[in-house]
Amino acid sequence: MTTTAHRRRAAALRAGRRRHDRDSSGHAAAGTVADALLTTDWQTGKMQIAVRRVTAGRKGWARQFVQFVRRAYPRAPYDRPRELRLFLQARGGIPRDVVARHRLVSATRVVRMRWNTPGLGDLADLAAFLDLDGDALDWFADRREINRHARDERLRHYRYVWLPHRLIEAPKPRLRDLQRLVLDRILARVPVHDGVHGFVPGRGVHTFARTHTGRDVLVSMDLRAFFTSVTAARIYGLFRGIGYPEPVAHTLTALTTTRTPVAVLRSAPDPHLAALLRRPHLPQGAPTSPALANLCAYRLDRRLSGLAGRFGVTYGRYADDLAFSGTLSAPHVTRLTALTGRIADEEGFRLHPHKTRVRTRSQRQALTGLVVNTRPAVPREDYDRLRAILHNAATHGLAEANRDGHADFAAHLAGRVAWMSHHHPARAAKLHHLLAQALRDQPR
């Protein structure tokens, strides 16, 4: 289809939505005809027969009408029944004296999958994929919004914990398992932008930091409310872009987004965050949210990568942390940060107004907890603090050194040692020696 035809069809769809909102009862014939057309193999003769079967009234109009539909949709929109209905409501083509006689409905189906993801043509396929029956699928998709309105915590799909500047919305085990299946079998197969390092297999904090090591200037910024800024509409668009039909995309969106209950919102630290949580959004705490946020930010990453290219610098993102590094003059830094904020706004995100940092080579340059002036490394004071804790544990025992009350202090220390030893052999040798001393006389 040409660009002009695509624009005309998009305008018609918008008009159809407005007209549908004003008087949906006046378009029963359009909906019936659209459903009937989708039961055919999209051949002209069979489409005309299907139209005649489901309508009564004026004769001889079906042939011209089918030609009109075929011009707009050369290929059958089997995955977009709602779109076809809205198009017919907007553009007409059905005489006013034609009425719907009965309805023919067929299941939606996959038209084209862009990546190697499971082909789920309808809700029955989705339920089988998730090993659920229809009622259970409706329950976890929360079609009746029980999660949002239920006062009994047992009827909710999420548990809520407020932290200083964000809300952790952790799915309960059964929903979490379903989300992990969606993550592993669907989302993990869709590529993210090359500049993204957070929550991507084979990449992480150190690859992010390494990209910006030893640069003349490092500019870092934060996206505000990164997960909750991603709306359900964007998630639906993502699943449609992967290739899933409208009903499947709607249900996958419902399984991976939520609306925070009003009772929980009363404790929100600021109105802006409460407004984001009130609408359907990505829950911070669901296993699918990081991958979905990365994929929905693809346009943001692509545009910021192009912006970096214009300035001759390198771009990268780790979750909500943005970084640009290279050789930049002060005026260029100002221009770069202003354009980044504008692009973020246009893509549905917001920069945190107080977290833009500009550091030159003569200053400490840090990203995601690592100093990157010469090579990615944990700050010296953090290393010295851990070494002192290990020495205390080796001298007085783990219980005495566990001043923060960690449930498994030995495992905590081992994790900290692994973190600080990464790609730093000298520190690794010293820290592992101290850890071995601290654990030597502990009961097993």
Side-chain angles (χ1 to χ4, degrees):
M1 179 179 294
T2 65
T3 302
T4 301
H6 178 79
R7 289 174 179 170
R8 288 175 179 170
R9 195 170 80 188
L13 290 172
R14 290 193 294 271
R17 291 188 183 97
R18 292 194 293 269
R19 192 180 303 174
H20 177 76
D21 292 340
R22 289 196 302 268
D23 184 15
S24 60
S25 63
H27 299 278
T32 299
V33 169
D35 289 341
L37 291 172
L38 293 174
T39 65
T40 72
D41 58 3
W42 216 246
Q43 298 300 312
T44 301
K46 294 180 180 179
M47 293 170 72
Q48 292 176 17
I49 293 172
V51 169
R52 297 189 189 104
R53 284 182 61 190
V54 299
T55 59
R58 182 182 302 185
K59 305 296 183 180
W61 65 279
R63 180 174 176 274
Q64 186 175 359
F65 170 77
V66 167
Q67 291 175 347
F68 155 73
V69 174
R70 287 290 304 271
R71 284 195 298 270
Y73 288 92
R75 295 181 180 179
Y78 294 122
D79 59 336
R80 294 166 284 162
R82 181 174 180 270
E83 179 187 305
L84 180 60
R85 287 194 291 271
L86 288 172
F87 175 77
L88 295 183
Q89 290 166 9
R91 297 300 296 269
I94 301 177
R96 290 186 177 274
D97 57 351
V98 170
V99 296
R101 185 168 59 181
H102 64 273
R103 202 167 199 124
L104 299 175
V105 179
S106 65
T108 57
R109 66 183 87 167
V110 168
V111 172
R112 181 176 68 94
M113 302 300 293
R114 295 186 62 187
W115 294 282
N116 184 29
T117 53
L120 309 175
D122 56 21
L123 294 183
D125 287 347
L126 177 59
F129 169 74
L130 296 172
D131 195 21
L132 299 173
D133 59 31
D135 291 339
L137 182 61
D138 283 348
W139 166 252
F140 287 111
D142 198 26
R143 295 188 186 280
R144 299 180 181 179
E145 290 200 333
I146 293 175
N147 182 80
R148 177 169 172 76
H149 298 294
R151 295 184 179 183
D152 189 340
E153 194 274 337
R154 291 173 296 180
L155 296 177
R156 293 176 178 172
H157 292 314
Y158 292 84
R159 295 187 175 93
Y160 303 91
V161 178
W162 277 105
L163 298 180
H165 301 292
R166 64 184 184 274
L167 175 65
I168 300 300
E169 299 177 287
K172 292 180 180 178
R174 189 69 181 95
L175 178 58
R176 185 177 64 240
D177 290 343
L178 297 177
Q179 291 173 341
R180 283 179 173 161
L181 185 60
V182 172
L183 173 64
D184 294 339
R185 297 282 302 280
I186 297 176
L187 302 178
R189 301 182 182 184
V190 183
V192 300
H193 192 274
D194 290 341
V196 178
H197 293 264
F199 314 109
V200 179
R203 308 179 203 171
V205 171
H206 287 85
T207 61
F208 178 55
R210 195 177 306 125
T211 304
H212 303 282
T213 297
R215 304 301 180 92
D216 291 336
V217 177
L218 173 65
V219 182
S220 57
M221 310 174 207
D222 283 9
L223 295 172
R224 188 176 184 181
F226 180 49
F227 287 169
T228 48
S229 295
V230 180
T231 63
R234 298 179 73 168
I235 301 301
Y236 171 75
L238 171 67
F239 283 122
R240 286 288 295 120
I242 293 173
Y244 291 114
E246 290 170 339
V248 175
H250 274 300
T251 305
L252 286 170
T253 299
L255 290 170
T256 54
T257 61
T258 187
R259 296 177 68 188
T260 307
V262 175
V264 177
L265 290 176
R266 294 192 184 106
S267 303
D270 68 79
H272 172 71
L273 180 58
L276 294 176
L277 294 169
R278 190 173 290 115
R279 67 188 185 184
H281 61 273
L282 287 181
Q284 187 163 349
T288 45
S289 291
L292 286 169
N294 277 343
L295 294 172
C296 287
Y298 186 87
R299 273 177 50 90
L300 172 73
D301 294 319
R302 186 176 64 181
R303 292 183 66 184
L304 292 182
S305 179
L307 179 67
R310 286 172 51 191
F311 283 84
V313 297
T314 300
Y315 164 75
R317 178 173 63 80
Y318 186 94
D320 56 356
D321 293 330
L322 310 179
F324 298 88
S325 63
T327 302
L328 286 167
S329 64
H332 282 163
V333 169
T334 302
R335 180 67 173 159
L336 175 67
T337 54
L339 290 173
T340 299
R342 183 187 305 173
I343 290 172
D345 287 342
E346 291 172 355
E347 295 301 327
F349 298 97
R350 291 181 60 190
L351 292 181
H352 198 293
H354 306 299
K355 292 191 176 181
T356 296
R357 297 167 293 278
V358 181
R359 294 291 183 268
T360 64
R361 189 188 294 269
S362 62
Q363 301 168 303
R364 173 184 283 186
Q365 297 174 331
L367 280 177
T368 56
L370 297 173
V371 177
V372 297
N373 289 70
T374 55
R375 61 175 174 172
V378 174
R380 178 74 193 194
E381 58 268 24
D382 291 351
Y383 165 72
D384 290 339
R385 189 179 303 114
L386 177 60
R387 192 172 60 175
I389 292 172
L390 290 170
H391 183 268
N392 187 27
T395 305
H396 302 289
L398 288 177
E400 177 67 23
N402 187 14
R403 296 178 181 176
D404 293 329
H406 294 283
D408 189 344
F409 191 47
H412 169 74
L413 289 178
R416 295 294 294 166
V417 167
W419 163 251
M420 295 199 184
S421 300
H422 188 82
H423 282 223
H424 207 304
R427 287 185 177 182
K430 294 177 183 178
L431 291 176
H432 281 290
H433 176 70
L434 287 172
L435 179 63
Q437 287 184 322
L439 300 178
R440 182 176 303 158
D441 300 323
Q442 300 306 314
R444 296 185 181 273

